[in-house]
Amino acid sequence: MTSAQTSHPPAGAGRESGPGPDPEELQRSQENAVMQMLDVPAVADELAARFAARGHRIYLVGGSVRDALLRGTGASDRDSGDLDFTTDARPEQILEAVRGWADAVWDTGIAFGTVGLRRRDQVIEVTTFRADTYDGRSRNPEVRFGDDIEGDLIRRDFTVNAMAVELGERRFVDPHGGFAALAQGLLDTPDLPERSFADDPLRMLRAARFVSQLGFTPADRVIAAMTGMAGELSRITAERVQAEFSKLILGAHPRRGIELLCDTGLAQHVVPEVPAMQLETDEHMQHKDVYTHSLVVMEQAIERETDGPDLTLRLAALLHDIGKPATRRKEPDGRVSFHHHEVVGAKMTRKRLRALKYPKVLIDDVSQLVYLHLRFHGYGKGEWSDSAVRRYVTDAGPLLERLHRLVRSDCTTRNRRRASALQRNYDGLEDRISELRKQEELDAIRPDLDGNQIMELLGIPPGRAVGRAYQHLLALRMEQGPLSPEQAEAALRAWAAGNL
């Protein structure tokens, strides 16, 4: 296979029965066609000129090339943003080449051959050809620099990321058929997948991420290797797993990525609570299992996003029912119940997201959404009191809009009349919330007297008694709505008479 293969020759090429196109000419025409799709930024040419002047070759490589080709074919408007280059220059030679040209340089990755830099508004990474070996027990490689682009590309994770453009000669380098794979939407590895995944097991999770982000289909041998090597993911730190999982969840097709994780067994090492839902039957008896229902809820939540992908909402939608397996009960009438699964699920969600090292704010928000997602079903036909509506809003706090989207998405019944009734009921709840907001600024409910006023009226110093009085007045506000100053003072004195 040549170092510039872009696609397979046409059927019949090379047969003895008749003259065919010259292979080298065909290859050049394919390269030219590919190069026309690539919009190489001016900053890349500037960098190439500096390396060429010092006798070095430099290539645009990896996701930069992949995404440029996707844009060129109209398959995606995805832009990877940063530019990645690889070169035969050693790290110290890279530093010399960019000195005086780069606006900023950082060498935190120089031990691995990588120099980062910024030129105007463009962030760039330049890495020396690599030919690492791994010990098979950790992610730490024995760093060895390579001498040619072909040896570097075979180390890449997938063929669609193993394409390069030699900038000096404008030569397209594709020794592993990455362009053909890109056209087919096929995800395969340049080397044997078992060898590639043994080098870095995170690549298996990255495969699911690319399925989600780009809609690719993994090759059969990739799926087989992922299934057989799923346990190797335990070698990877939680932080790196979390980063890939978040990108998967935020992709255009997260359901496909989650299904691949579950089908291959990788989910057992990332979010084992998700495949565990495959064993359960939803209480509405309208879905194959809770797992399928949860994936549908996630898809419906995505449809309700208004400001781009929302990691908090998507995680809450995926995990909202993970408490069902632990709470499953068969009732005397034969129906299946999952009482308090939202309480159990919120605790499980918190534990899983902590294990994945998510930030505390995100953990709190997702867990609270899981905890609150079922509360609306007590609303019935609108019989909630104003105080119940206030509590719903207060408990949701800044998550209220997300809670609206999650609750509406949780309606997946195929019974159109029931689905319409549920949506109408929620319409009614939102209308009541809107009216109460107009009346009393519901988003910032506070007692009618603050702490200083409580201490002044009761003649008491700061302490627990002030907090108890404050909570009493807050409960009154929730139950009765705003009180006049006279009513609030009378209520405070009445409480104090029996509690101080």
Side-chain angles (χ1 to χ4, degrees):
M1 188 176 292
T2 68
S3 65
Q5 177 182 326
T6 58
S7 62
H8 297 293
R15 293 180 181 173
E16 296 181 359
S17 57
D22 177 72
E24 292 187 2
E25 183 179 340
L26 177 62
Q27 180 176 301
R28 283 193 296 272
S29 67
Q30 291 170 339
E31 289 179 26
N32 290 335
V34 170
M35 290 303 300
Q36 288 176 7
M37 298 178 190
L38 288 167
D39 182 16
V40 178
V43 69
D45 287 327
E46 293 176 23
L47 186 63
R50 297 185 70 85
F51 276 74
R54 291 163 175 80
H56 298 299
R57 290 170 291 151
I58 189 168
Y59 300 79
L60 185 64
V61 70
S64 304
V65 177
R66 179 200 67 222
D67 291 341
L69 288 173
L70 285 171
R71 292 194 301 274
T73 59
S76 171
D77 59 359
R78 176 182 170 84
D79 186 349
S80 54
D82 299 345
L83 296 176
D84 295 322
F85 298 86
T86 188
T87 177
D88 59 354
R90 293 321 194 229
E92 62 276 6
Q93 294 170 322
I94 296 174
L95 289 172
E96 172 61 29
V98 302
R99 185 174 293 120
W101 178 78
D103 298 319
V105 176
W106 48 95
D107 59 4
T108 52
I110 200 165
F112 298 95
T114 299
V115 173
L117 59 100
R118 178 174 53 79
R119 170 69 172 174
R120 294 187 286 272
D121 296 329
Q122 186 68 60
V123 175
I124 294 168
E125 278 195 352
V126 184
T127 302
T128 302
F129 294 153
R130 296 279 292 276
D132 299 340
T133 58
Y134 294 77
D135 59 17
R137 295 184 300 274
S138 70
R139 175 63 185 100
N140 299 321
E142 177 187 339
V143 178
R144 291 195 299 116
F145 297 134
D147 297 313
D148 56 64
I149 184 64
E150 287 77 10
D152 181 90
L153 293 179
I154 199 170
R155 292 186 54 263
R156 303 276 165 169
D157 52 3
F158 300 104
T159 60
V160 294
N161 295 330
M163 300 177 284
V165 175
E166 185 173 6
L167 294 172
E169 300 180 9
R170 278 295 196 272
R171 182 171 66 96
F172 182 58
V173 184
D174 182 20
H176 306 291
F179 183 67
L182 198 68
Q184 298 168 25
L186 180 68
L187 198 64
D188 203 352
T189 53
D191 203 347
L192 290 174
E194 291 81 4
R195 187 176 299 158
S196 179
F197 298 157
D199 280 353
D200 184 1
L202 190 68
R203 289 173 173 176
M204 295 185 287
L205 187 53
R206 197 172 296 146
R209 188 245 289 186
F210 284 130
V211 167
S212 170
Q213 288 183 328
L214 300 172
F216 288 167
T217 300
D220 290 343
R221 69 174 191 163
V222 169
I223 294 175
M226 291 169 68
T227 304
M229 301 178 66
E232 293 294 307
L233 197 61
S234 61
R235 290 164 43 194
I236 305 302
T237 64
E239 290 84 356
R240 294 184 71 215
V241 169
Q242 178 240 100
E244 287 296 328
F245 184 64
S246 294
K247 291 175 184 177
L248 183 159
I249 294 295
L250 292 171
H253 314 283
R255 176 172 180 169
R256 297 186 200 174
I258 293 294
E259 288 174 334
L260 180 60
L261 290 184
C262 292
D263 291 346
T264 57
L266 281 166
Q268 294 293 342
H269 306 278
V270 183
V271 279
E273 298 82 0
V274 172
M277 291 190 290
Q278 291 174 313
L279 304 176
E280 304 303 323
T281 302
D282 174 278
E283 73 268 30
H284 304 305
M285 302 297 181
Q286 295 296 320
H287 303 284
K288 180 179 179 182
D289 50 35
V290 177
Y291 167 74
T292 302
H293 163 76
S294 298
L295 294 178
V296 172
V297 171
M298 181 174 65
E299 289 182 314
Q300 294 186 165
I302 291 170
E303 292 174 359
R304 289 181 165 85
E305 291 175 338
T306 57
D307 299 315
D310 184 339
L311 181 62
T312 299
L313 177 62
R314 293 185 182 197
L315 285 172
L318 176 66
L319 302 176
H320 76 284
D321 274 349
I322 61 171
K324 283 189 171 180
T327 57
R328 185 177 188 269
R329 299 289 184 272
K330 190 170 184 179
E331 303 296 339
D333 63 1
R335 291 176 61 83
V336 175
S337 67
F338 304 93
H339 296 308
H340 305 301
H341 76 267
E342 74 282 11
V343 178
V344 174
K347 293 179 180 178
M348 293 172 65
T349 296
R350 185 174 295 277
K351 182 178 180 181
R352 176 52 49 199
L353 297 184
R354 279 176 176 167
L356 289 171
K357 306 294 185 182
Y358 276 103
K360 183 180 184 301
V361 171
L362 183 139
I363 294 173
D364 291 344
D365 287 351
V366 176
S367 301
Q368 184 71 350
L369 287 171
V370 171
Y371 177 72
L372 293 175
H373 85 272
L374 204 61
R375 185 175 294 185
F376 160 72
H377 294 283
Y379 185 69
K381 297 181 180 179
E383 64 270 20
W384 275 10
S385 64
D386 283 352
S387 64
V389 175
R390 292 187 191 101
R391 289 190 183 279
Y392 188 76
V393 174
T394 302
D395 288 347
L399 297 172
L400 184 61
E401 290 305 316
R402 285 188 174 112
L403 183 59
H404 289 337
R405 295 186 181 109
L406 177 60
V407 172
R408 288 187 180 276
S409 301
D410 195 24
C411 176
T412 61
T413 178
R414 296 175 185 174
N415 184 319
R416 291 187 178 182
R417 291 182 61 184
R418 187 169 186 276
S420 296
L422 286 170
Q423 297 295 346
R424 284 197 303 272
N425 281 345
Y426 208 85
D427 288 342
L429 175 58
E430 288 203 60
D431 288 343
R432 288 184 65 187
I433 290 171
S434 178
E435 287 301 315
L436 284 171
R437 271 197 176 121
K438 294 176 183 177
Q439 296 170 21
E440 54 187 80
E441 298 180 357
L442 189 57
D443 286 330
I445 291 180
R446 297 289 185 274
D448 296 284
L449 300 173
D450 62 25
N452 290 327
Q453 292 170 309
I454 290 171
M455 289 187 288
E456 182 179 349
L457 287 170
L458 298 183
I460 59 176
R464 295 179 61 184
V466 178
R468 289 165 53 209
Y470 185 93
Q471 289 300 319
H472 174 70
L473 291 176
L474 177 60
L476 283 180
R477 174 67 184 268
M478 299 289 288
E479 293 293 335
Q480 301 178 21
L483 303 176
S484 68
E486 294 78 13
Q487 290 173 321
E489 181 177 344
L492 175 64
R493 295 189 183 281
W495 175 86
N499 292 276
L500 294 182

